[in-house]
Amino acid sequence: MDKIKKAAKLIINSRHCVAFSGAGISVESGIPPFRGKNGLWNKYNPIFLETNYFIANPLYSWKMIKEIFYDFFGKAKPNKAHYTLAKWEKSGLIKTIITQNIDNLHQEAGSKNVIEFHGTSKILTCVNCSKKYDVKLINFEKLPPLCKKCGGLLKPDFVFFSEPIPQQALDNSIKEATEADLMILIGTSGEIMPASQIPYIAKEKGAKIIEINIEKSNYTNSITDVFLEGKATEIFTKLDKNIL
Ligand code: NAD
């Protein structure tokens, strides 16, 4: 059977389908991945995302963070892959999205049940008093942004290199992976620990794995049942036509 038809059938017949997305799903929204040929870390040294460096060098760190995550990422809009997942959630075809992304594009496309494994760029938290701020209310003209309550340094609510995964996101992701009978991996290399373990948990608990990527990943020859090679938007367009 044609691979697209096979995957569509698995999605239609699933009981608890979970999507697991990585940077690749947002590439066609204009956000490059971190690693690989056109990765951001070929252009920037990511030292400013180390917690100790950030605290010691807040002005330089914030100049870089603003340029990459707010001036640049901030303009991105969801694409066909994000919108199709939101539509499938609404029609009951998928239960949850676990995303490693911090760009909020799943939510902007209309998805409700989203676990942000690495946090979000849309909230800032004071490192001193923990007060949270919606990024829309922050004036980036004067850097670094400071807490209005205590004057402490504000930090984006996404996971920096030395930080642990938010406990609730980790617990909920493991729960979803355990309950899933189907997991769809989209644009993820499987190289980022501990996020990369989530699909292995799903597979171990009996889930089938559909993988969408422009090239083979760590998962393809180990746990993937149906590998759909291509850009996320193109594959979702084809899948959706077979699901309607
Ligand atoms: P990653 O594991 O997220 O890898 C990206 C994967 O996407 C690669 O396997 C690549 O082959 C694939 N890909 C590229 N273009 C694609 C397309 N059009 N369609 C389908 N697949 C495509 O690794 P990373 O980029 O090194 O990211 C590291 C971490 O940082 C991850 O947690 C990632 O989610 C996060 N990150 C988030 C964003 C974002 O919020 N948009 C951007 C960059 C990185």
Side-chain angles (χ1 to χ4, degrees):
M1 197 193 304
D2 166 87
K3 276 187 178 186
I4 291 283
K5 285 200 166 58
K6 190 174 173 191
K9 204 169 163 201
L10 282 172
I11 295 167
I12 293 165
N13 292 334
S14 67
R15 170 187 49 76
H16 194 107
C17 176
V18 174
F20 179 74
S21 65
I25 196 171
S26 297
V27 166
E28 291 164 89
S29 291
I31 303 179
F34 287 162
R35 288 167 183 76
K37 201 164 44 115
N38 299 314
L40 279 173
W41 300 157
N42 291 333
K43 194 173 158 200
Y44 300 97
N45 177 347
I47 183 135
F48 56 90
L49 296 181
E50 295 282 355
T51 314
N52 291 341
Y53 185 92
F54 173 76
I55 302 286
N57 304 278
L59 180 58
Y60 171 76
S61 298
W62 259 108
K63 276 186 182 162
M64 300 303 290
I65 290 170
K66 175 179 176 286
E67 181 180 325
I68 299 172
F69 295 99
Y70 297 102
D71 297 346
F72 179 41
F73 275 39
K75 292 190 180 71
K77 296 278 169 265
N79 63 47
K80 175 79 183 175
H82 299 102
Y83 283 118
T84 305
L85 283 171
K87 187 175 109 176
W88 290 355
E89 181 188 327
K90 216 170 167 190
S91 61
L93 281 172
I94 69 157
K95 301 286 184 236
T96 309
I97 297 171
I98 303 169
T99 188
Q100 297 162 81
N101 297 342
I102 57 167
D103 56 24
N104 203 45
L105 293 183
H106 285 298
Q107 293 91 330
E108 282 178 40
S111 290
K112 303 280 181 237
N113 204 7
V114 182
I115 300 173
E116 292 175 310
F117 199 88
H118 290 147
T120 178
S121 59
K122 301 300 166 183
I123 307 275
L124 306 184
T125 301
C126 174
V127 296
N128 186 41
C129 74
S130 303
K131 185 172 163 54
K132 290 194 182 291
Y133 292 85
D134 185 327
V135 78
K136 287 193 208 109
L137 305 173
I138 300 295
N139 178 358
F140 282 123
E141 269 164 34
K142 191 164 182 292
L143 293 178
L146 299 175
C147 179
K148 289 199 175 87
K149 198 172 132 206
C150 76
L153 179 64
L154 299 185
K155 175 192 166 294
D157 243 9
F158 54 76
V159 174
F160 278 28
F161 287 127
S162 43
E163 287 184 318
I165 302 303
Q167 194 60 46
Q168 203 180 1
L170 183 61
D171 292 347
N172 290 344
S173 299
I174 293 172
K175 183 169 174 282
E176 286 297 322
T178 306
E179 286 177 12
D181 64 342
L182 178 65
M183 188 170 269
I184 310 174
L185 319 182
I186 312 121
T188 183
S189 62
E191 280 174 21
I192 313 296
M193 281 282 278
S196 57
Q197 295 310 299
I198 298 297
Y200 292 107
I201 297 173
K203 182 73 177 183
E204 205 180 287
K205 297 289 177 186
K208 292 262 187 238
I209 307 288
I210 296 171
E211 184 184 5
I212 299 167
N213 202 313
I214 51 166
E215 61 185 29
K216 285 187 176 175
S217 75
N218 289 346
Y219 302 114
T220 317
N221 293 328
S222 55
I223 58 167
T224 298
D225 293 290
V226 185
F227 180 57
L228 303 175
E229 188 173 352
K231 290 183 178 175
T233 58
E234 291 169 9
I235 300 291
F236 271 96
T237 304
K238 289 182 191 165
L239 279 174
D240 202 34
K241 278 192 188 135
N242 280 270
I243 279 177
L244 287 174

Coordinates of all heavy atoms in Angstrom, one line a residue, residues 37-112:
K37 N 22.9 22.0 8.4 CA 23.5 22.8 7.4 C 23.1 24.3 7.5 O 24.0 25.2 7.5 CB 23.1 22.3 6.0 CG 24.0 22.7 4.9 CD 23.8 21.9 3.6 CE 22.4 21.7 3.3 NZ 21.7 22.1 2.2
N38 N 21.8 24.6 7.6 CA 21.4 26.0 7.7 C 21.1 26.4 9.2 O 20.3 27.3 9.4 CB 20.2 26.3 6.9 CG 20.5 26.0 5.4 OD1 21.5 26.5 4.9 ND2 19.7 25.3 4.7
G39 N 21.6 25.6 10.1 CA 21.3 25.8 11.5 C 21.8 27.1 12.1 O 22.8 27.7 11.7
L40 N 21.1 27.7 13.1 CA 21.4 29.0 13.7 C 22.8 28.9 14.4 O 23.5 29.9 14.5 CB 20.4 29.4 14.7 CG 19.1 30.0 14.2 CD1 18.1 30.2 15.3 CD2 19.4 31.3 13.5
W41 N 23.1 27.7 14.9 CA 24.4 27.7 15.7 C 25.6 27.6 14.8 O 26.7 27.6 15.2 CB 24.4 26.5 16.7 CG 23.3 26.5 17.7 CD1 22.9 25.4 18.4 CD2 22.6 27.6 18.2 NE1 21.9 25.8 19.3 CE2 21.7 27.2 19.2 CE3 22.6 29.0 18.0 CZ2 20.8 28.0 19.9 CZ3 21.7 29.8 18.7 CH2 20.8 29.3 19.7
N42 N 25.4 27.6 13.4 CA 26.5 27.9 12.5 C 26.8 29.3 12.4 O 27.9 29.7 12.1 CB 26.2 27.4 11.1 CG 26.1 25.9 11.1 OD1 26.7 25.2 11.8 ND2 25.3 25.3 10.2
K43 N 25.8 30.2 12.8 CA 26.0 31.6 12.6 C 26.3 32.3 14.0 O 27.0 33.2 14.1 CB 24.6 32.1 12.1 CG 24.7 33.6 11.6 CD 23.4 33.9 10.9 CE 23.2 35.4 10.9 NZ 21.8 35.8 10.7
Y44 N 25.7 31.7 15.1 CA 25.8 32.3 16.4 C 26.5 31.3 17.3 O 26.2 30.1 17.2 CB 24.4 32.6 17.0 CG 23.6 33.6 16.2 CD1 22.6 33.2 15.3 CD2 23.8 35.0 16.4 CE1 21.8 34.1 14.6 CE2 23.0 35.9 15.7 CZ 22.0 35.4 14.8 OH 21.2 36.3 14.2
N45 N 27.2 31.8 18.3 CA 27.7 30.9 19.4 C 26.7 31.0 20.5 O 26.4 32.1 21.1 CB 29.0 31.5 19.9 CG 29.6 30.7 21.1 OD1 28.9 29.9 21.7 ND2 30.8 31.0 21.4
P46 N 26.1 29.9 20.9 CA 24.9 29.9 21.8 C 25.3 30.0 23.3 O 24.5 29.7 24.1 CB 24.2 28.5 21.5 CG 25.3 27.7 21.0 CD 26.3 28.5 20.3
I47 N 26.5 30.5 23.6 CA 26.9 30.6 25.0 C 25.9 31.5 25.8 O 25.8 31.2 27.0 CB 28.3 31.2 25.1 CG1 28.8 31.2 26.5 CG2 28.5 32.6 24.5 CD1 30.2 30.7 26.8
F48 N 25.3 32.4 25.2 CA 24.3 33.3 25.9 C 23.1 32.6 26.4 O 22.3 33.1 27.2 CB 23.9 34.5 25.1 CG 23.3 34.1 23.8 CD1 22.0 33.9 23.6 CD2 24.1 33.9 22.6 CE1 21.4 33.6 22.4 CE2 23.6 33.5 21.4 CZ 22.2 33.4 21.3
L49 N 23.0 31.3 26.0 CA 21.9 30.5 26.6 C 22.3 29.5 27.7 O 21.6 28.7 28.1 CB 21.2 29.7 25.4 CG 20.5 30.5 24.4 CD1 19.8 29.6 23.3 CD2 19.4 31.5 25.0
E50 N 23.5 29.8 28.2 CA 24.0 29.1 29.4 C 23.5 30.0 30.6 O 23.8 31.2 30.6 CB 25.5 29.0 29.4 CG 26.1 28.1 28.4 CD 26.0 26.6 28.7 OE1 25.5 26.3 29.7 OE2 26.4 25.8 27.8
T51 N 22.9 29.4 31.6 CA 22.3 30.2 32.7 C 23.4 31.1 33.3 O 23.2 32.3 33.5 CB 21.7 29.3 33.7 OG1 20.9 28.3 33.0 CG2 20.8 30.1 34.7
N52 N 24.5 30.5 33.7 CA 25.6 31.3 34.4 C 26.1 32.5 33.5 O 26.3 33.6 34.0 CB 26.8 30.4 34.8 CG 26.4 29.4 35.9 OD1 25.3 29.6 36.6 ND2 27.1 28.4 36.0
Y53 N 26.3 32.2 32.2 CA 26.7 33.3 31.3 C 25.7 34.4 31.2 O 26.0 35.6 31.3 CB 27.0 32.7 30.0 CG 27.6 33.7 29.0 CD1 29.0 33.9 28.9 CD2 26.8 34.6 28.3 CE1 29.6 34.8 28.1 CE2 27.4 35.5 27.5 CZ 28.7 35.7 27.4 OH 29.3 36.6 26.6
F54 N 24.4 33.9 31.1 CA 23.3 34.9 31.0 C 23.2 35.8 32.2 O 23.1 37.0 32.1 CB 22.0 34.1 30.9 CG 20.7 34.9 30.9 CD1 20.3 35.6 29.8 CD2 19.9 34.9 32.0 CE1 19.2 36.4 29.8 CE2 18.8 35.7 32.1 CZ 18.4 36.4 31.0
I55 N 23.4 35.2 33.4 CA 23.3 36.0 34.6 C 24.5 37.0 34.7 O 24.3 38.2 35.1 CB 23.3 35.1 35.9 CG1 22.1 34.1 35.9 CG2 23.3 35.9 37.2 CD1 20.7 34.7 36.1
A56 N 25.7 36.5 34.3 CA 26.9 37.4 34.4 C 27.0 38.4 33.3 O 27.6 39.4 33.5 CB 28.1 36.5 34.4
N57 N 26.3 38.1 32.2 CA 26.4 39.0 31.0 C 25.0 39.3 30.5 O 24.7 39.0 29.3 CB 27.2 38.4 29.9 CG 28.6 38.0 30.3 OD1 29.5 38.8 30.4 ND2 28.8 36.7 30.7
P58 N 24.1 40.0 31.3 CA 22.7 40.1 30.8 C 22.5 41.0 29.6 O 21.7 40.7 28.8 CB 22.0 40.7 32.1 CG 23.1 41.3 32.9 CD 24.3 40.5 32.6
L59 N 23.3 42.0 29.5 CA 23.1 42.9 28.3 C 23.4 42.3 27.0 O 22.6 42.2 26.1 CB 24.0 44.2 28.5 CG 23.8 45.2 27.4 CD1 22.3 45.7 27.2 CD2 24.7 46.5 27.6
Y60 N 24.6 41.6 26.9 CA 25.0 41.0 25.7 C 24.0 39.8 25.4 O 23.5 39.6 24.3 CB 26.4 40.4 25.8 CG 26.8 39.5 24.6 CD1 27.0 40.1 23.3 CD2 26.8 38.1 24.7 CE1 27.3 39.3 22.2 CE2 27.0 37.3 23.6 CZ 27.3 37.9 22.4 OH 27.5 37.1 21.3
S61 N 23.7 39.0 26.4 CA 22.8 37.9 26.2 C 21.5 38.3 25.7 O 20.9 37.8 24.8 CB 22.6 37.1 27.6 OG 23.9 36.7 28.0
W62 N 21.0 39.4 26.3 CA 19.6 39.9 25.9 C 19.6 40.5 24.5 O 18.7 40.4 23.7 CB 19.0 40.9 26.9 CG 18.0 40.2 27.7 CD1 18.1 39.8 29.0 CD2 16.7 39.7 27.3 NE1 17.0 39.1 29.5 CE2 16.1 39.1 28.4 CE3 16.1 39.7 26.1 CZ2 14.9 38.5 28.3 CZ3 14.8 39.1 26.0 CH2 14.2 38.5 27.1
K63 N 20.8 41.1 24.1 CA 20.9 41.6 22.7 C 20.7 40.4 21.7 O 20.0 40.5 20.7 CB 22.2 42.3 22.5 CG 22.2 43.7 22.9 CD 23.5 44.4 22.6 CE 23.5 45.8 23.1 NZ 24.9 46.4 23.2
M64 N 21.4 39.3 22.0 CA 21.3 38.1 21.1 C 19.9 37.5 21.2 O 19.4 37.1 20.2 CB 22.4 37.1 21.6 CG 23.8 37.6 21.5 SD 24.3 38.2 19.9 CE 24.3 36.6 19.0
I65 N 19.4 37.4 22.4 CA 18.1 36.7 22.6 C 17.0 37.5 21.8 O 16.2 37.0 21.1 CB 17.8 36.6 24.1 CG1 18.7 35.5 24.7 CG2 16.3 36.2 24.3 CD1 18.6 35.4 26.2
K66 N 17.1 38.9 22.0 CA 16.1 39.7 21.3 C 16.2 39.6 19.8 O 15.2 39.4 19.1 CB 16.3 41.2 21.7 CG 15.4 42.2 21.0 CD 15.7 43.6 21.4 CE 14.9 44.6 20.6 NZ 15.4 44.8 19.3
E67 N 17.4 39.6 19.3 CA 17.6 39.5 17.8 C 17.0 38.2 17.3 O 16.3 38.1 16.3 CB 19.1 39.6 17.5 CG 19.4 39.6 16.0 CD 20.9 39.7 15.7 OE1 21.6 40.4 16.4 OE2 21.3 39.1 14.7
I68 N 17.4 37.1 18.0 CA 17.0 35.8 17.4 C 15.6 35.4 17.7 O 14.8 35.0 16.9 CB 18.0 34.7 18.0 CG1 19.4 34.9 17.5 CG2 17.5 33.3 17.5 CD1 20.4 34.0 18.2
F69 N 15.2 35.5 19.0 CA 13.9 34.9 19.4 C 12.8 35.9 19.4 O 11.6 35.4 19.4 CB 14.1 34.3 20.8 CG 15.0 33.2 20.9 CD1 16.3 33.4 21.4 CD2 14.6 31.9 20.5 CE1 17.2 32.3 21.4 CE2 15.5 30.9 20.5 CZ 16.8 31.1 21.0
Y70 N 13.0 37.2 19.3 CA 11.9 38.1 19.3 C 11.8 38.9 18.0 O 10.8 38.9 17.3 CB 11.9 39.0 20.5 CG 11.8 38.1 21.8 CD1 12.9 37.8 22.6 CD2 10.5 37.6 22.1 CE1 12.7 36.9 23.6 CE2 10.4 36.7 23.2 CZ 11.5 36.4 23.9 OH 11.3 35.5 25.0
D71 N 12.9 39.5 17.5 CA 12.9 40.3 16.3 C 12.6 39.3 15.1 O 11.9 39.6 14.2 CB 14.2 41.0 16.0 CG 14.4 42.1 17.1 OD1 13.5 42.4 17.8 OD2 15.6 42.5 17.1
F72 N 13.3 38.1 15.1 CA 13.3 37.2 14.0 C 12.2 36.2 14.1 O 11.2 36.1 13.3 CB 14.7 36.6 13.9 CG 14.9 35.6 12.9 CD1 14.4 35.9 11.6 CD2 15.7 34.5 13.1 CE1 14.6 35.0 10.6 CE2 15.9 33.6 12.1 CZ 15.4 33.8 10.8
F73 N 12.2 35.3 15.2 CA 11.2 34.3 15.4 C 9.8 34.9 15.5 O 8.8 34.3 15.1 CB 11.5 33.5 16.7 CG 12.4 32.4 16.7 CD1 13.6 32.5 15.9 CD2 12.2 31.3 17.4 CE1 14.5 31.4 15.9 CE2 13.1 30.2 17.5 CZ 14.3 30.3 16.7
G74 N 9.8 36.1 16.1 CA 8.5 36.7 16.5 C 7.6 37.0 15.3 O 6.4 37.0 15.4
K75 N 8.2 37.1 14.1 CA 7.4 37.4 12.9 C 6.8 36.2 12.3 O 6.0 36.3 11.3 CB 8.3 38.1 11.9 CG 8.7 39.5 12.4 CD 9.4 40.3 11.3 CE 9.8 41.7 11.8 NZ 11.0 41.6 12.7
A76 N 7.2 35.0 12.7 CA 6.8 33.7 12.0 C 5.3 33.5 12.2 O 4.7 33.8 13.3 CB 7.6 32.6 12.5
K77 N 4.7 32.9 11.2 CA 3.3 32.5 11.3 C 3.2 31.0 11.1 O 4.0 30.4 10.4 CB 2.5 33.2 10.2 CG 2.4 34.7 10.3 CD 1.4 35.1 11.3 CE 1.5 36.6 11.6 NZ 2.2 36.9 12.9
P78 N 2.1 30.4 11.7 CA 2.0 28.9 11.5 C 1.8 28.5 10.0 O 1.4 29.3 9.2 CB 0.6 28.6 12.2 CG 0.3 29.8 13.1 CD 1.0 31.0 12.5
N79 N 2.2 27.3 9.7 CA 2.1 26.8 8.3 C 1.1 25.7 8.3 O 0.4 25.3 9.3 CB 3.5 26.4 7.8 CG 4.1 25.3 8.5 OD1 3.4 24.2 8.8 ND2 5.4 25.4 8.9
K80 N 0.9 25.1 7.1 CA -0.1 24.0 6.8 C 0.1 22.9 7.8 O -0.9 22.3 8.2 CB 0.1 23.6 5.4 CG -0.7 22.4 4.9 CD -2.1 22.8 4.6 CE -2.9 21.6 4.2 NZ -4.3 21.9 4.0
A81 N 1.3 22.5 8.2 CA 1.5 21.4 9.1 C 0.9 21.8 10.5 O 0.1 20.9 11.1 CB 3.0 21.1 9.3
H82 N 1.1 23.0 11.0 CA 0.6 23.4 12.3 C -1.0 23.4 12.2 O -1.7 22.9 13.1 CB 1.0 24.8 12.7 CG 2.5 24.9 12.9 ND1 3.3 25.5 11.9 CD2 3.3 24.6 13.9 CE1 4.6 25.5 12.4 NE2 4.6 25.0 13.6
Y83 N -1.5 24.0 11.1 CA -3.0 24.1 10.9 C -3.6 22.8 10.8 O -4.7 22.6 11.4 CB -3.3 25.0 9.7 CG -3.1 26.5 10.0 CD1 -2.2 27.2 9.3 CD2 -3.8 27.1 11.0 CE1 -2.0 28.6 9.5 CE2 -3.7 28.5 11.3 CZ -2.8 29.2 10.5 OH -2.6 30.5 10.8
T84 N -3.0 21.8 10.1 CA -3.6 20.5 9.9 C -3.7 19.8 11.3 O -4.7 19.2 11.6 CB -2.8 19.7 8.9 OG1 -2.7 20.4 7.7 CG2 -3.5 18.4 8.6
L85 N -2.6 19.9 12.1 CA -2.7 19.3 13.4 C -3.8 19.8 14.3 O -4.5 19.1 15.0 CB -1.3 19.4 14.1 CG -0.2 18.5 13.6 CD1 1.2 18.9 14.2 CD2 -0.5 17.0 14.0
A86 N -3.9 21.2 14.2 CA -5.0 21.8 15.0 C -6.4 21.3 14.5 O -7.3 21.0 15.3 CB -4.9 23.3 14.8
K87 N -6.5 21.2 13.2 CA -7.8 20.7 12.7 C -8.1 19.2 13.1 O -9.2 18.9 13.5 CB -7.7 20.7 11.1 CG -9.0 20.4 10.4 CD -8.9 20.6 8.9 CE -8.9 19.3 8.2 NZ -8.9 19.3 6.8
W88 N -7.0 18.4 13.1 CA -7.2 17.0 13.5 C -7.5 16.9 15.0 O -8.2 16.0 15.4 CB -5.9 16.2 13.2 CG -5.7 16.0 11.7 CD1 -6.5 16.3 10.7 CD2 -4.5 15.4 11.2 NE1 -5.9 15.9 9.5 CE2 -4.7 15.4 9.8 CE3 -3.3 14.8 11.7 CZ2 -3.8 14.8 8.9 CZ3 -2.4 14.3 10.8 CH2 -2.6 14.3 9.4
E89 N -7.0 17.8 15.8 CA -7.3 17.8 17.2 C -8.8 18.1 17.4 O -9.5 17.4 18.2 CB -6.4 18.8 18.0 CG -6.7 18.8 19.5 CD -6.1 19.9 20.3 OE1 -5.0 20.4 19.9 OE2 -6.7 20.4 21.3
K90 N -9.2 19.1 16.7 CA -10.7 19.5 16.8 C -11.6 18.4 16.4 O -12.6 18.2 17.0 CB -10.9 20.7 15.9 CG -11.9 21.7 16.4 CD -11.9 23.0 15.6 CE -13.1 23.8 16.0 NZ -13.3 24.9 15.1
S91 N -11.2 17.6 15.4 CA -12.1 16.5 14.9 C -11.8 15.2 15.7 O -12.3 14.2 15.3 CB -11.9 16.3 13.4 OG -10.6 16.0 13.1
G92 N -11.0 15.3 16.7 CA -10.7 14.1 17.6 C -9.7 13.1 17.1 O -9.5 12.1 17.7
L93 N -9.0 13.4 16.0 CA -8.1 12.5 15.5 C -6.8 12.4 16.3 O -6.1 11.4 16.3 CB -7.7 12.8 14.0 CG -8.7 12.4 12.9 CD1 -8.3 13.0 11.6 CD2 -8.8 10.9 12.8
I94 N -6.4 13.6 16.8 CA -5.2 13.5 17.7 C -5.6 14.1 19.1 O -6.4 15.0 19.2 CB -3.9 14.2 17.1 CG1 -4.1 15.7 17.1 CG2 -3.5 13.6 15.8 CD1 -2.8 16.4 17.0
K95 N -4.9 13.6 20.1 CA -5.2 14.0 21.5 C -4.3 15.1 22.0 O -4.8 16.1 22.6 CB -5.1 12.8 22.4 CG -5.9 11.6 22.1 CD -7.4 11.9 22.4 CE -8.2 10.6 22.2 NZ -9.4 10.9 21.3
T96 N -3.0 15.0 21.7 CA -2.1 15.9 22.3 C -0.9 16.2 21.3 O -0.6 15.3 20.5 CB -1.5 15.3 23.5 OG1 -2.5 14.8 24.4 CG2 -0.6 16.2 24.3
I97 N -0.3 17.4 21.4 CA 0.9 17.6 20.7 C 2.0 17.8 21.8 O 1.8 18.7 22.7 CB 0.9 18.9 19.9 CG1 -0.2 18.7 18.8 CG2 2.2 19.2 19.3 CD1 -0.5 20.0 18.0
I98 N 3.1 17.1 21.7 CA 4.2 17.4 22.6 C 5.2 18.1 21.6 O 5.6 17.5 20.6 CB 4.9 16.1 23.1 CG1 3.9 15.2 23.9 CG2 6.1 16.4 24.0 CD1 4.4 13.8 24.2
T99 N 5.5 19.3 22.0 CA 6.5 20.0 21.1 C 7.7 20.4 21.8 O 7.7 20.8 23.0 CB 5.8 21.3 20.4 OG1 6.7 21.8 19.5 CG2 5.5 22.4 21.5
Q100 N 8.9 20.3 21.1 CA 10.1 20.8 21.6 C 10.3 22.2 21.3 O 11.3 22.9 21.7 CB 11.3 19.9 21.0 CG 11.2 18.5 21.3 CD 12.1 17.7 20.4 OE1 13.3 17.6 20.5 NE2 11.5 17.1 19.4
N101 N 9.4 22.8 20.5 CA 9.6 24.1 20.0 C 9.1 25.1 21.0 O 8.3 24.8 21.9 CB 8.8 24.3 18.7 CG 9.4 23.5 17.6 OD1 10.5 23.0 17.7 ND2 8.7 23.3 16.5
I102 N 9.6 26.4 20.9 CA 9.3 27.4 21.9 C 8.6 28.6 21.2 O 8.5 29.7 21.7 CB 10.6 27.9 22.6 CG1 11.6 28.4 21.5 CG2 11.2 26.7 23.4 CD1 12.8 29.1 22.1
D103 N 8.2 28.3 20.0 CA 7.7 29.4 19.1 C 6.2 29.7 19.2 O 5.7 30.7 18.5 CB 8.1 29.2 17.6 CG 7.6 27.8 17.1 OD1 6.6 27.3 17.6 OD2 8.2 27.3 16.2
N104 N 5.4 28.9 19.9 CA 4.0 29.1 20.1 C 3.2 28.9 18.8 O 2.0 29.2 18.8 CB 3.8 30.5 20.6 CG 2.5 30.7 21.4 OD1 2.1 29.9 22.2 ND2 1.7 31.7 21.1
L105 N 3.8 28.4 17.8 CA 3.0 28.3 16.5 C 1.9 27.3 16.5 O 0.9 27.4 15.8 CB 4.0 28.0 15.3 CG 5.0 29.2 15.0 CD1 5.8 28.9 13.8 CD2 4.2 30.5 14.8
H106 N 2.0 26.2 17.3 CA 0.9 25.2 17.4 C -0.3 25.9 18.0 O -1.4 25.8 17.5 CB 1.3 24.0 18.3 CG 2.2 23.1 17.6 ND1 1.9 22.4 16.5 CD2 3.5 22.7 18.0 CE1 2.9 21.6 16.1 NE2 3.9 21.7 17.0
Q107 N -0.1 26.7 19.1 CA -1.2 27.4 19.7 C -1.8 28.5 18.8 O -3.0 28.6 18.7 CB -0.8 28.0 21.0 CG -0.4 27.1 22.1 CD 1.1 26.7 22.1 OE1 1.7 26.7 21.1 NE2 1.6 26.4 23.3
E108 N -0.9 29.2 18.0 CA -1.4 30.2 17.1 C -2.2 29.6 16.0 O -3.1 30.2 15.5 CB -0.2 31.0 16.5 CG 0.3 32.0 17.5 CD 1.5 32.8 16.9 OE1 1.5 33.1 15.7 OE2 2.4 33.0 17.7
A109 N -2.0 28.3 15.7 CA -2.7 27.6 14.6 C -4.1 27.1 15.2 O -4.9 26.7 14.4 CB -1.9 26.5 14.1
G110 N -4.2 27.1 16.5 CA -5.5 26.7 17.1 C -5.4 25.5 18.0 O -6.4 25.0 18.5
S111 N -4.3 24.8 18.1 CA -4.2 23.6 18.9 C -4.3 24.0 20.4 O -3.8 25.1 20.8 CB -2.8 23.0 18.7 OG -2.7 22.4 17.5
K112 N -5.0 23.2 21.1 CA -5.3 23.5 22.6 C -4.5 22.7 23.5 O -4.0 23.2 24.5 CB -6.8 23.2 22.9 CG -7.8 24.0 22.0 CD -7.9 25.4 22.5 CE -8.9 26.2 21.6 NZ -8.4 27.4 21.0

